[in-house]
Amino acid sequence: MTTPTPSVRSQCPYCGVGCGLELLPPAQPGQAVKKDEEGNPMWTARGDRSHPSSQGQVCIKGATVGETLARGRLHQPLYRASLDQDFEPVSWEQALQTITDQIQTTLANKGADAIAMYGSGQFHTEDYYLAQKLLKGALGTNNFDANSRLCMSSAVAGYTRSLGSDGPPACYDDLDHCSVAVLIGTNTAECHPVLFQRLIKRKKRNPGSVTIVVIDPRRTDTAKAADIHLPIAPGTDLALLHGIAHLVMRENGQDVAFIDDHTENYKPFFDVVARWTPRKVARFCGIPEKRLREVAELFHRKQRVLSLWSMGVNQRREGTAVVQGLINLHLLTGQIGKEGAGPFSLTGQPNAMGGREAGGLAHLLPGYRIVTNDQHRSEVEQAWGFPQGQIAATPGLGAWQQVEAMERGDLDLWWVAATNPLVSMPELDRVKAAMQNCALVVVSEAYADSETSHYAHLLLPASQWSEKAGAMTNSERRVTYCPAYRPRHGQSRPDWEVFAEVGRRLGFEQHFSYDSAAEVYAEFSQLTEGRVCDMSGLSHELLSESGPQQWPFPRGSEPSQGAKRLYSDHQFPTPSGKARFSTDLPQGLAEPPCDTYPLVLTVGRYLGQWHTMTRTGKVKRLQTMHPEPLLEIHPEDASDLQIKDGALTAVSSRRGHLTARAKITNRIRKGSVFLPMHWGFTQDQACEVNALMHDQACPVSKQPELKACAVIAAPAVSAIKPPEQVSNQLVKLRRWFSPAAQ
Ligand code: SF4
């Protein structure tokens, strides 16, 4: 009898819930080999019951990931000297030489700051770490940023300013223990479905155990399950949070002992929120005062309040202030560092957390260090074996600043890896033009048909999750070892290997001599020793043998000894050891509606699609769930604008236009419209919603306000399609990733 091939365990490579997956091989004794739609042997995924974060649960994206791994892949490096030429295949040797030549020329002509890399929460921690060592260490520029800038940087800044360090204080078990769950700016039902189902199951099994509050301008699937839904006007959440604080104080719901012993800046905070009276807040937010009072009553020192948030809070020009406004409520009521309570950011990507730990933003260094801190730079320089002063003391270019630098002609090399900025950035037409103004655009991608590939000079085929070993950290600080269980696709290579190879070719052989991802991880984890995110006790070996672990996990820790929650001792990593109340005043939207553009366009995600669809766009079941992007519009607005249900509708902002079919619904507030963010110009139903968005960003976190801009909508005569030049490029590029090209 033939023995079945064993399954392997890994973390889902989609959202930041980071569910455990069990992967089953294509061939099992006595069964036909499972194949995807292109005939490639296909691994199938199911929930891993042994994974503590998800306990066997999985959503449709994770369950279908096996269908995406071999389709539409880039097989070999491709190069063209200018964007109007066709790509031609080149060897890895030629590709790497092109990169190192460009780096050396740029260093000689303009200096290291004319080089930038834009990475991704799709990276494994090892990829992230070596990108930092290459850019910030070997080259001496801090111009590494990641798509976490568009996703989580307001959470990072908010935690750091209020609590002294990045790091979500809570864990998923808190969903089972909270008495109040406040979901603000998060459509958890569609974007983090496994967590949402955990909360809903608890509520159904134990009626009355938890009150769910949803704060969202849109009546999402999440809001439908709420006990209280506050459909506030877009951009008014900070005022709402101040209003809740005002009422908590008025009703003596604050935790005086906690405030006295463990916080600072209370008096200025008190003075700010004193001005946000219930009547003023209710009018400002467009909600009944009664509802505001009901929510404020739930925030009380005697409750266990868990606050969950994601993009609706972070993607705002006052994103950091709103994060801090929410943390204020937890400090006011002492709801932090204890079971069932705390502020808890839900990460969009599978390893955005690992990126933060590895220093993967332009102002960070590994181990939650920052580039402006002399001591931090010195520690990292020493660990990396570079001379003192090698790491620049100023933050590098953030994501949008990299685009602006290309516009000015200040960047001669832009290296994009594992992300698709030509769907996810704001003002997409500006990004396209900027990329045409850069001497060499390198795109490292697993898939050949990403929108960004069409504006690249050099395409590098990347081995993706399942083909390379590495670690990822999910939203609750749990690190999972992700093994390589499939062969590398075509000539693809893991990003960390490519970064190391470039480092060696630039003369840093000693610094980049690694034989395995395990060696890279070992070096990284030692750099976290003594930091808030201490994971010096973790290694590939331990994670592989003992399963996923939460940090902090200092050297010598036993498996499962990682801390579930941060700050249980109420000691915060600030100079005083105390957390800090913030005092920001609400500003509202950067681009409010006006007579010309009277509607607020807000964007979000569908359950069955993930980000820019490079993976999920290849799964027929998911395409059937969401065949096209739909413009949600309120019945009264539709009537005023003579827009019919199902009719093609044009939407315009100050920056661009698109068309989409209208869906008339009460889900959306009057005065607002909604579109999903997934469909880029390579999709049949192209709908470049971020082309309409502006570039105004939070001044602290530099995270753009991708959640709202002012638009006008009207019946459309015909659909807006990609220009002919782009369509031709699509056809040409697809030659290189058809199966025949293998
Ligand atoms: Fe993957 Fe997120 Fe779905 Fe879990 S909830 S299976 S991590 S996409």
Side-chain angles (χ1 to χ4, degrees):
M1 197 172 109
T2 321
T3 319
T5 314
S7 60
V8 295
R9 290 181 156 75
S10 191
Q11 181 191 304
C12 174
Y14 286 121
C15 85
V17 176
C19 297
L21 294 185
E22 186 181 0
L23 290 314
L24 307 165
Q28 289 293 330
Q31 292 179 7
V33 173
K34 288 206 175 77
K35 295 191 173 170
D36 68 18
E37 286 170 31
E38 286 180 357
N40 305 296
M42 186 182 80
W43 288 66
T44 45
R46 66 185 181 197
D48 174 7
R49 289 172 187 273
S50 68
H51 198 290
S53 293
S54 50
Q55 302 162 4
Q57 301 304 304
V58 69
C59 80
I60 191 163
K61 297 187 286 288
T64 53
V65 69
E67 298 174 38
T68 71
L69 300 176
R71 301 186 56 196
R73 295 289 301 274
L74 181 64
H75 308 289
Q76 65 210 105
L78 301 175
Y79 177 70
R80 57 184 171 178
S82 69
L83 299 189
D84 56 2
Q85 295 176 348
D86 288 352
F87 281 109
E88 295 294 339
V90 291
S91 66
W92 267 104
E93 178 60 34
Q94 290 168 307
L96 291 164
Q97 197 58 46
T98 301
I99 294 172
T100 46
D101 285 351
Q102 185 66 37
I103 289 175
Q104 278 160 340
T105 305
T106 306
L107 290 174
N109 293 341
K110 287 190 176 174
D113 286 339
I115 298 165
M117 182 181 284
Y118 183 52
S120 162
Q122 291 276 297
F123 275 165
H124 284 172
T125 300
E126 296 76 1
D127 304 315
Y128 257 122
Y129 176 70
L130 283 197
Q132 308 318 303
K133 195 170 180 181
L134 178 64
L135 272 284
K136 295 172 182 173
L139 298 181
T141 176
N142 291 328
N143 288 349
F144 178 95
D145 215 47
N147 53 14
S148 301
R149 181 70 65 185
L150 310 181
C151 179
M152 295 311 297
S153 56
S154 293
V156 173
Y159 282 137
T160 305
R161 287 161 80 98
S162 291
L163 306 178
S165 171
D166 187 15
C171 64
Y172 298 161
D173 278 1
D174 290 325
L175 290 164
D176 304 332
H177 299 288
C178 60
S179 48
V180 181
V182 176
L183 287 73
I184 175 169
T186 169
N187 182 7
T188 323
E190 295 201 72
C191 302
H192 299 95
V194 165
L195 289 189
F196 183 73
Q197 288 305 324
R198 181 167 173 170
L199 184 64
I200 295 303
K201 269 186 207 158
R202 176 186 168 211
K203 189 173 170 66
K204 280 188 180 153
R205 283 182 190 151
N206 304 287
S209 59
V210 57
T211 304
I212 299 177
V213 178
V214 173
I215 301 166
D216 196 315
R218 193 168 155 242
R219 191 162 182 268
T220 59
D221 289 354
T222 312
K224 283 180 197 161
D227 296 287
I228 302 174
H229 173 211
L230 294 183
I232 58 171
T236 62
D237 36 13
L238 184 55
L240 179 86
L241 298 171
H242 284 350
I244 293 171
H246 179 108
L247 282 163
V248 168
M249 291 174 181
R250 194 189 273 187
E251 301 300 324
N252 289 323
Q254 69 267 48
D255 186 333
V256 176
F258 181 89
I259 293 167
D260 286 350
D261 293 345
H262 303 297
T263 71
E264 57 192 15
N265 212 37
Y266 178 67
K267 176 67 172 63
F269 167 67
F270 179 92
D271 291 343
V272 165
V273 299
R275 283 179 257 159
W276 288 91
T277 60
R279 179 176 298 183
K280 179 176 168 182
V281 170
R283 200 178 308 133
F284 191 80
C285 298
I287 54 168
E289 192 177 322
K290 180 171 170 288
R291 303 304 264 173
L292 172 67
R293 289 181 183 278
E294 284 170 5
V295 173
E297 267 177 35
L298 298 170
F299 269 97
H300 194 283
R301 64 184 180 279
K302 292 177 186 157
Q303 298 272 24
R304 282 166 288 133
V305 181
L306 184 69
S307 299
L308 305 161
W309 81 90
S310 54
M311 296 312 111
V313 167
N314 292 334
Q315 288 180 332
R316 300 277 308 291
R317 65 107 170 233
E318 53 182 349
T320 306
V322 182
V323 170
Q324 290 192 270
L326 189 60
I327 295 174
N328 281 343
L329 288 173
H330 286 268
L331 300 180
L332 185 65
T333 53
Q335 302 282 348
I336 190 167
K338 61 185 188 187
E339 193 175 70
F344 195 3
S345 53
L346 299 179
T347 315
Q349 298 197 75
N351 195 35
M353 286 283 292
R356 285 144 69 172
E357 294 150 13
L361 288 170
H363 62 295
L364 299 178
L365 289 170
Y368 282 177
R369 294 177 174 88
I370 53 174
V371 299
T372 50
N373 183 303
D374 295 347
Q375 175 75 20
H376 289 180
R377 289 196 313 282
S378 174
E379 288 166 358
V380 176
E381 285 160 349
Q382 198 174 355
W384 281 350
F386 291 115
Q388 295 285 306
Q390 178 72 12
I391 298 173
T394 51
L397 298 171
W400 185 251
Q401 293 168 305
Q402 293 183 4
V403 174
E404 291 177 324
M406 284 190 288
E407 285 181 323
R408 293 191 302 270
D410 289 348
L411 278 194
D412 281 357
L413 169 57
W414 198 41
W415 191 342
V416 179
T419 187
N420 192 8
L422 282 186
V423 179
S424 52
M425 286 268 195
E427 292 211 50
L428 292 176
D429 288 344
R430 270 179 73 186
V431 185
K432 291 170 192 166
M435 290 174 76
Q436 294 173 63
N437 202 31
C438 183
L440 181 66
V441 175
V442 179
V443 174
S444 299
E445 246 298 347
Y447 298 95
D449 57 346
S450 89
E451 284 73 7
T452 307
S453 301
H454 297 275
Y455 286 77
H457 300 98
L458 179 60
L459 288 176
L460 301 178
S463 304
Q464 64 160 326
W465 175 90
S466 78
E467 299 161 4
K468 61 179 182 181
M472 294 207 277
T473 309
N474 70 10
S475 292
E476 65 163 352
R477 294 172 282 102
R478 192 178 299 279
V479 186
T480 300
Y481 174 66
C482 304
Y485 62 88
R486 297 171 58 249
R488 294 179 183 181
H489 192 90
Q491 297 176 25
S492 71
R493 295 185 184 181
D495 292 314
W496 72 264
E497 279 191 20
V498 177
F499 301 152
E501 177 64 28
V502 170
R504 288 193 294 271
R505 284 170 182 250
L506 290 170
F508 300 97
E509 289 87 357
Q510 299 285 323
H511 303 77
F512 291 96
S513 61
Y514 304 96
D515 288 330
S516 67
E519 276 184 26
V520 179
Y521 193 78
E523 182 180 303
F524 155 73
S525 64
Q526 296 322 296
L527 247 178
T528 65
E529 186 163 20
R531 307 291 303 161
V532 167
C533 59
D534 191 337
M535 51 190 87
S536 55
L538 293 181
S539 63
H540 278 199
E541 191 181 10
L542 184 140
L543 291 166
S544 175
E545 286 176 2
S546 304
Q549 305 292 328
Q550 275 177 301
W551 61 254
F553 196 95
R555 193 195 320 274
S557 304
E558 292 295 321
S560 305
Q561 271 190 349
K564 277 190 167 186
R565 296 172 191 87
L566 302 182
Y567 315 128
S568 296
D569 59 359
H570 295 160
Q571 293 302 304
F572 296 92
T574 56
S576 64
K578 295 182 174 186
R580 187 172 178 79
F581 283 101
S582 68
T583 55
D584 297 288
L585 297 175
Q587 297 182 60
L589 297 177
E591 187 179 78
C594 60
D595 288 347
T596 313
Y597 299 98
L599 300 168
V600 175
L601 169 65
T602 185
V603 298
R605 288 150 176 79
Y606 285 160
L607 171 66
Q609 291 297 348
W610 195 73
H611 288 193
T612 69
M613 294 172 71
T614 44
R615 272 203 195 102
T616 51
K618 295 175 173 58
V619 181
K620 198 178 259 178
R621 269 186 285 174
L622 302 181
Q623 289 295 70
T624 307
M625 272 175 84
H626 311 291
E628 63 178 324
L630 294 173
L631 176 81
E632 291 181 13
I633 184 166
H634 188 274
E636 289 180 35
D637 290 327
S639 170
D640 291 349
L641 296 165
Q642 300 183 327
I643 292 170
K644 301 264 182 296
D645 194 43
L648 198 62
T649 304
V651 184
S652 301
S653 77
R654 289 179 174 86
R655 292 151 295 277
H657 317 275
L658 57 77
T659 48
R661 279 191 199 287
K663 180 179 177 182
I664 299 175
T665 170
N666 282 312
R667 275 166 67 97
I668 192 82
R669 275 178 70 96
K670 180 169 160 38
S672 295
V673 288
F674 168 88
L675 274 169
M677 58 81 70
H678 310 290
W679 275 263
F681 65 76
T682 66
Q683 304 293 334
D684 292 339
Q685 307 288 343
C687 177
E688 294 185 273
V689 63
N690 279 2
L692 273 54
M693 292 296 166
H694 58 71
D695 69 344
Q696 296 301 299
C698 171
V700 181
S701 69
K702 308 281 188 290
Q703 179 158 356
E705 187 165 79
L706 281 164
K707 271 292 166 190
C709 74
V711 296
I712 177 74
V717 180
S718 60
I720 294 178
K721 296 278 184 200
E724 197 171 301
Q725 185 198 353
V726 174
S727 305
N728 292 341
Q729 274 193 26
L730 295 182
V731 173
K732 285 174 186 166
L733 191 54
R734 281 176 181 157
R735 273 206 324 253
W736 296 109
F737 64 85
S738 67
Q742 286 188 60

